Amino acid sequence: MASEYTAEEQYETRQTLYIVRHGVAYHNLPIKVKSKAEDGTNRYTYHHPDKRDPKYIDSKLVLPKAHQQARKAGTRLRKALNESNDGEMVAAKKKLDCVLVSPLSRCLETAYFIMNELQGNHSSLPPPWVCKEELREAFGIHYSDKRSCKSTLQETWPHVQFDPNMKEEDEDWKPDERETFMNLHQRIDNFLLWTSWNQLLTMISEKQNASGDNHKQRTNEKRAEKRQNLLVVSHGVWMECLFRKYYPNILDGGRRVHNCHMFSTDLVCSWTKGLGGSSSGDGSWRCNKISLDGVKFIGKEKA
């Protein structure tokens, strides 16, 4: 019996992610409550807002505070893009290849202010914006995590590419059921795989378009050096779950992700395409490993 022919094609994708939490929104603001002390003087206490109140639906940013936070985040991002991987300043500024953002309004607004600060008066074309449902906060029960209708978002943000599979109404959000951490972890993995997969397709296309051995070699070298830079605007719980799964050391000492905190990391994925007994060349790609190669906090720690 003839031995089965097996061949594998392997790639590794590497993308630098600049992940930032949205600025302070109305559901983040503590509520000031006035009462009388025993001696008759006024006493003030602060309470967390009740996110089950419908008035917080798709909670917006608090201006001007959130605007200031996002502008500072834009300044930090500009500095990070001017640094090499070892922290040294580079002659050629790195550019963002894409803005990936949650469909909740506070994230879209934060991305808008960050990019305004980053681009300034430059006339260069901005990177494309893509809205991904996988980036949204854990949903259910809290009205602040219920998104607006798709048509409303598209009208407000005409330059953003929304997933064609996104429903008009937020059918995932339930008033009496909170998303499980297991489901949230799956959404995070789906986002990382989607992000890496898009770069993989680009790498495969470049390889197929190359002609001649020398040109192929030069193309492979350039492909190995090329690294996408992506801005990701998401939420606190989403980011903390990401770090706990793939880089828990960044949360040592009970560290939390506060409004407009920014982190940089390299998303590294290993892909293999297996070709079995068939000589037709068909086969399926599989991701063997997802990892974050280092996570760095960008900016000042909260006092």
Side-chain angles (χ1 to χ4, degrees), residues 50-272:
D50 184 0
K51 299 175 186 178
R52 296 169 296 181
D53 190 330
K55 74 178 182 181
Y56 290 114
I57 187 170
D58 196 11
S59 183
K60 307 296 191 297
L61 293 183
V62 177
L63 302 178
K65 183 176 182 179
H67 183 196
Q68 296 167 351
Q69 290 175 326
R71 288 188 61 185
K72 291 179 181 178
T75 300
R76 295 194 297 269
L77 178 57
R78 181 189 301 111
K79 182 179 178 181
L81 289 170
N82 276 304
E83 292 179 348
S84 64
N85 295 330
D86 56 7
E88 298 294 328
M89 300 302 291
V90 294
K93 177 183 175 181
K94 293 176 285 187
K95 294 182 179 179
L96 285 180
D97 293 286
C98 192
V99 178
L100 303 171
V101 60
S102 157
L104 294 178
S105 293
R106 54 190 181 271
C107 287
L108 288 158
E109 292 171 338
T110 300
Y112 172 80
F113 290 130
I114 289 176
M115 292 305 296
N116 270 4
E117 182 66 23
L118 180 66
Q119 291 182 270
N121 296 322
H122 297 295
S123 58
S124 58
L125 289 175
W129 287 46
V130 179
C131 181
K132 296 295 293 178
E133 289 256 61
E134 290 87 347
L135 286 171
R136 64 184 298 180
E137 187 61 295
F139 47 75
I141 300 180
H142 297 165
Y143 276 90
S144 54
D145 302 325
K146 182 178 183 181
R147 69 165 170 83
S148 298
C149 297
K150 181 179 181 180
S151 57
T152 300
L153 294 173
Q154 289 175 317
E155 182 178 356
T156 307
W157 307 98
H159 64 288
V160 177
Q161 177 186 333
F162 290 89
D163 190 332
N165 294 321
M166 180 188 290
K167 303 291 181 62
E168 170 65 11
E169 301 292 336
D170 187 357
E171 298 179 3
D172 291 323
W173 187 91
K174 302 291 189 296
D176 56 354
E177 183 180 350
R178 189 74 173 160
E179 182 184 23
T180 65
F181 281 110
M182 181 181 296
N183 190 70
L184 177 54
H185 287 151
Q186 185 61 58
R187 280 203 290 118
I188 291 171
D189 284 351
N190 289 344
F191 169 75
L192 299 178
L193 287 170
W194 174 87
T195 303
S196 175
W197 174 252
N198 279 277
Q199 188 186 32
L200 175 65
L201 293 179
T202 300
M203 295 169 68
I204 294 172
S205 177
E206 289 176 352
K207 181 179 179 180
Q208 292 174 341
N209 291 334
S211 60
D213 292 339
N214 292 336
H215 184 70
K216 283 183 180 181
Q217 182 178 355
R218 290 194 301 270
T219 302
N220 288 338
E221 290 172 355
K222 290 180 181 178
R223 183 169 63 242
E225 295 172 357
K226 184 178 180 181
R227 182 183 305 184
Q228 289 184 329
N229 299 292
L230 310 174
L231 174 62
V232 179
V233 185
S234 188
H235 304 265
V237 174
W238 192 98
M239 292 172 64
E240 290 177 3
C241 285
L242 168 71
F243 295 147
R244 286 194 186 99
K245 182 171 183 179
Y246 289 107
Y247 206 87
N249 291 349
I250 197 67
L251 299 177
D252 282 352
R255 181 186 208 157
R256 301 301 306 274
V257 176
H258 297 286
N259 294 114
C260 272
H261 268 189
M262 181 181 293
F263 299 81
S264 65
T265 185
D266 279 357
L267 169 62
V268 182
C269 296
S270 301
W271 293 86
T272 302

